[in-house]
Amino acid sequence: NINDSLGHIAGDQLLIATARTLETCLRPMDTVARLGGDEFAILLDGLENQNHAIAVAERIQQALTRPFNLIGHEVYITASIGITLSSGNYTDPENVLRDADTAMYRAKEGGKARFELFDSTMHSHAVALLKLENDLRRAIERNEFQVFYQPIICLETDELYGFEALVRWNHPERGLVSP
């Protein structure tokens, strides 16, 4: 919205101001980096437990409630924050970012200015959703959809009023899938 309404220079100014605001919420040993677009990653070093990460997320949310002044315009922003803890289960940094991103999208689904703490069910859900989408694409190619006609009966007269066409998916592993 900022780029479209106030221009890219204002958008860049907002990104810089946002990064500086994020830095004020962190300790000297923490790191903030822009991943791309309007997404930032924050590495909190040496946290004792998840409550400390949640406290930082709450500080960030509070700090972002104040307006930014961009070329004479007041601009308000919110942040959707995904939190993941590196409890020793990660071998690749990409997976840490993937899980934080998954938690961030869950926060976005819940509304603006929220944070979510990643749990493994989020990843399982994301993988299942990807599999479902792939299965749906294959279902179209394999003609796995069937049309069923359901009569519509007038309750007052008990007469046939019409028909409703329903599409059902005949999944090769799950069988007939309801809508």
Side-chain angles (χ1 to χ4, degrees):
N1 259 350
I2 301 299
N3 287 344
D4 293 341
S5 60
L6 302 177
H8 289 275
I9 291 173
D12 290 346
Q13 287 176 354
L14 180 59
L15 289 171
I16 292 166
T18 301
R20 288 189 178 133
T21 300
L22 294 175
E23 287 174 337
T24 66
C25 299
L26 305 178
R27 303 165 300 172
M29 72 269 276
D30 298 330
T31 305
V32 62
R34 180 171 166 236
L35 292 180
D38 62 353
E39 290 188 3
F40 290 86
I42 297 172
L43 176 63
L44 303 174
D45 195 24
L47 292 183
E48 292 179 25
N49 60 47
Q50 71 185 30
N51 292 333
H52 290 114
I54 291 170
V56 172
E58 289 170 343
R59 272 199 313 271
I60 290 169
Q61 297 290 10
Q62 183 60 39
L64 293 178
T65 61
R66 294 185 289 276
F68 292 91
N69 188 347
L70 302 177
I71 56 174
H73 297 274
E74 264 191 357
V75 174
Y76 291 87
I77 64 170
T78 60
S80 298
I81 301 172
I83 301 169
T84 189
L85 304 172
S86 61
S87 55
N89 299 335
Y90 291 104
T91 56
D92 294 320
E94 292 84 13
N95 292 342
V96 176
L97 289 173
R98 176 203 65 206
D99 291 349
D101 205 44
T102 299
M104 178 195 65
Y105 280 105
R106 176 70 61 89
K108 284 184 180 198
E109 289 172 6
K112 293 187 180 262
R114 293 176 35 89
F115 64 86
E116 285 286 336
L117 188 63
F118 177 80
D119 68 58
S120 59
T121 61
M122 289 180 186
H123 180 67
S124 301
H125 177 73
V127 170
L129 200 57
L130 178 64
K131 182 176 178 356
L132 177 66
E133 183 178 333
N134 288 339
D135 285 352
L136 274 169
R137 290 182 187 276
R138 279 190 226 104
I140 293 169
E141 295 167 2
R142 296 176 183 165
N143 293 318
E144 293 174 355
F145 293 106
Q146 297 175 338
V147 177
F148 290 85
Y149 295 96
Q150 178 171 306
I152 300 173
I153 307 293
C154 177
L155 294 177
E156 292 175 356
T157 64
D158 205 29
E159 292 181 1
L160 182 65
Y161 182 76
F163 288 93
E164 182 178 34
L166 306 170
V167 174
R168 296 288 186 257
W169 180 10
N170 193 2
H171 192 280
E173 296 165 7
R174 295 185 190 171
L176 210 55
V177 179
S178 296

